[in-house]
Amino acid sequence: MRKHVMLALAVLAALQATGQEKKDSTEKKDSTEKTKQVAYEKVITKNAVSRRGMFTVHVVDNKYYFEIPDSLYGRDILAVTRYVATPENVRVYGGERANETTIYFEKGPQQKVFVRQNVVKAEAKDETQALYKAVQNTTVRPIAAVFDIKTTNPANGQVVIDVTDFFRKENPVVSMAQSSKTELKLGGLADDRTFITSIRTYPINIEVKTLKTYTVQAAPAGASTLEMNTSLVLLPKEPMRRRLFDERVGYFANSYVLFDDNKQSTENYSIIQRYRLEPKDEDIAKYKKGKLVEPKKQIVYYIDPATPKKWRPYLMAGINDWQKAFEQAGFKNAIIAKEWPENDTTMSMEDARFSVVRYFASDIPNAYGPRISDPRSGEIIESHVGWYHNVMKLVHDWYMIQVGPNDPRARKMEFDDELMGDLIRFVSSHEIGHTLGLRHNMGSSSQTPVELLRNKKWVEANGHTASIMDYARFNYVAQPEDKIGKDGLYPRIGIYDKWAIQWGYKQIFDTKDEYEDRKILNKWVIDSLNANPRLWFGGEGKDDDPRSQTEDLGDDNIKANDYGIANLKRVVPQLINWTKEEGDMYDNLKRMHKAAVSQYNRYLYHVMKNTNQYYTTFKSSDQKGDVYTEVPKARIRSAIDYVGRQLMEPPLWLYPDELTGKLRFNTMTEISDMQQNILNTLLSPGMLYNIAQRSYDYPVSAYLLDIKNAAWKPLAGNKTLDVYYRNTHRMYIERIRMILKQPKDKMLTNAERSDARLYVQQHLLALKKELQSTTDSNALNQLHYAELVKEIDKVLKGDEE
């Protein structure tokens, strides 16, 4: 026994000795590595140009160094890379975002400094919970870059790293995404033609400008040089109080998975994106009493000096229009537009501290409103609105085609500055709404009764839609005899927008956290919607709900679009006069006629969406009513009737004779293609299957009869119309053939194997009987009927030819 004890003590002593040797070795190694550091004055020489800010930045012989305060290790930094200037024809523009990520600096082993990306998608509810450790063990942050410590400042102990290659070369933090390089057909970085042009440091941010040259993959081989700017913005040490996302209010949001010791499963949740808008400390008591106060920090948008001067006031007005919405949240002067101070050399439009409306010299007819937000809290840090010059072409064409009969100012190719300015103002407000955190609300327009859109007093007072975040362009329902002015024709910030800003930005006091806030916010939603259903958020228009569509108006888009067609019938005959310009080779006429046809098709597809299955109204369990309700039978039948009246009765008015001699189009082909596309939808196995699943009494046989009555026009002896009618008869039989034709060597879908086939066969037999009893003195028509009977026989027999 004693021998064993002595042996164990000997082994332990040996292990301790070995451990001590390793420790001594490590200490010597660390000491040696520290002594390897070059003296500070040999790295940061007397020739260095040094600037103090968030980090101290040194420039020595075209090399750039960061000297990082110890207090900023581990602090989250938002890294945003933008294009400053780009080559022609690459379809990206100065001010647009190329990359965005959150990083932090960390002292690593072996005299290294790491840059880690802070990608957060899972978290524990509370740092004191046991699950917090488990979450941390599964969320190791990726190392994006590693730096050698070049020296240490003896005056303050701050280490110095060389960041030259970090910003010159490619890495996940400062490089554009690979997908962007592929789209731009860029190859590798040309090292000899890539430079840092400046690094400037400020109290909470660092701005790095580079010229980066890439080889070009596309022929002819060459190079492409882009000027880039990377902003490193120090995020707040204490993140803003989060506000949890609610599907009933349209905000952009960041999504997470929540782990909680007190829950039996994970919870998916999201936090909305919004600016940090808080009352000043001395105004909190006033704010609580409902008095308007100014925020600690105003939301400011600057106008790009590249913007034509005559349009700047209208862009600014579109921004300032949001002040009224923020008053509903308790703040006055919360948002303001300013001209960019061109003479202030301390400011840069690429600086991520400043929100800017950037003006692009582009033929793209568009504008967009992005946001840069703190991923920890959803706090919007800044936005660079993209404004393409050719957005004016887009709004011009909408306005002429939709409300030309109501506004004489719309009846020419070059609008007066006042009218174009008004249209710019509404687009500006829409895009700024996105930058404030608001998503599209495509269902908002459905909350206005159609007849109120023709009520001059009401629509001029309230606007034609409850939200400027809808794609409700202009009031095409208004008829000339209604004499509605521009206040009833233009979109504007509406009651939904003001309420959504109130819901997202109004301060909540005396609660522990965002989870307690959610209970209050839920009550706000329920009470507000009960009081005013027009505050409904209808989503992005991407589901099957026919109330949530782009470009539509009113609570009954069938009735609304009949009014729209009436206006379109007034527009088309006037296009030659309205588009006439000296020297124009009918290019204007071609463009505006195409816009008229597009508008007609919008009306058609708005109506067609009523044949879908459900309305979707998101509700919490403490609200009354169902989330999903079926579209009524009467609405479906009304949609089919619209198709019969406005399409199957061929819209020859859309292609008048006076245009056919000046524009090249085949009226028969264009109309027939429209008719075929609609019949393919109405007479598809999927549609018939959906009709069969309805809870109310609308059998497939009745549906088929409605389609037939709409599409199957009797031959009436009109030479022009009968050509179209005979064509749709043939189309109708062809489409039914496709329903009954079973796919070979393929598993059938539920729709294809359903009883719908039996109803179709019954329908076809009835149609055959009707054709056999039809007589016509016109020999061509008689031949047509006989041919249709033969085709029906082939379909019923399943003959293949």
Side-chain angles (χ1 to χ4, degrees), residues 348-581:
S348 165
M349 283 193 293
E350 284 72 42
D351 186 335
R353 292 178 301 162
F354 304 120
S355 294
V356 184
V357 179
R358 295 299 301 263
Y359 202 94
F360 302 147
S362 169
D363 61 354
I364 296 173
N366 200 9
Y368 67 94
R371 301 143 313 286
I372 301 294
S373 66
D374 183 341
R376 305 167 306 168
S377 65
E379 178 184 353
I380 297 171
I381 305 300
E382 59 88 31
S383 170
H384 275 51
V385 176
W387 192 275
Y388 300 90
H389 182 73
N390 232 22
V391 74
M392 289 186 286
K393 177 181 178 181
L394 187 68
V395 295
H396 168 278
D397 293 0
W398 285 336
Y399 199 71
M400 177 186 281
I401 295 300
Q402 293 178 10
V403 296
N406 292 282
D407 189 348
R409 301 176 302 163
R411 300 168 189 172
K412 53 186 176 181
M413 293 305 295
E414 191 76 12
F415 286 171
D416 296 340
D417 287 354
E418 181 184 0
L419 173 56
M420 181 53 71
D422 286 346
L423 305 186
I424 286 172
R425 180 176 182 170
F426 112 73
V427 179
S428 172
S429 288
H430 177 93
E431 301 306 340
I432 292 300
H434 285 317
T435 69
L436 298 174
L438 299 182
R439 291 161 55 202
H440 288 127
N441 182 1
M442 299 307 188
S444 181
S445 55
S446 71
Q447 300 305 299
T448 302
V450 169
E451 292 306 325
L452 286 180
L453 298 173
R454 297 192 58 192
N455 183 314
K456 177 178 173 64
K457 182 178 179 181
W458 189 91
V459 78
E460 289 182 1
N462 296 282
H464 66 272
T465 184
S467 174
I468 202 163
M469 303 314 297
D470 198 341
Y471 277 2
R473 309 302 186 181
F474 303 104
N475 186 358
Y476 58 75
V477 169
Q479 301 295 291
E481 61 267 26
D482 302 332
K483 301 187 183 307
I484 290 173
K486 64 181 185 179
D487 287 344
L489 299 177
Y490 299 165
R492 69 176 88 164
I493 294 170
I495 57 170
Y496 165 81
D497 307 307
K498 295 174 183 178
W499 174 73
I501 290 295
Q502 175 185 328
W503 185 91
Y505 283 88
K506 187 175 181 179
Q507 296 291 292
I508 298 174
F509 297 95
D510 305 320
T511 54
K512 184 178 69 174
D513 55 25
E514 61 266 36
Y515 304 101
E516 285 192 9
D517 290 348
R518 179 162 54 183
K519 297 175 183 177
I520 295 172
L521 293 166
N522 177 55
K523 189 174 188 307
W524 287 0
V525 171
I526 295 171
D527 292 347
S528 298
L529 287 173
N530 286 341
N532 189 352
R534 294 189 75 218
L535 301 178
W536 178 60
F537 172 64
E540 300 274 1
K542 297 175 182 177
D543 58 17
D544 291 332
D545 192 326
R547 299 171 301 172
S548 298
Q549 300 193 63
T550 63
E551 323 284 345
D552 70 334
L553 290 179
D555 63 343
D556 182 346
N557 54 34
I558 299 168
K559 182 189 292 186
N561 291 359
D562 274 331
Y563 284 127
I565 292 287
N567 272 332
L568 209 50
K569 286 180 177 178
R570 297 180 179 106
V571 169
V572 172
Q574 298 299 326
L575 286 180
I576 292 177
N577 294 327
W578 293 0
T579 61
K580 188 182 297 183
E581 287 185 317

Side-chain angles (χ1 to χ4, degrees), residues 115 140 287 426:
V115 170
V140 175
Y287 185 89
F426 112 73

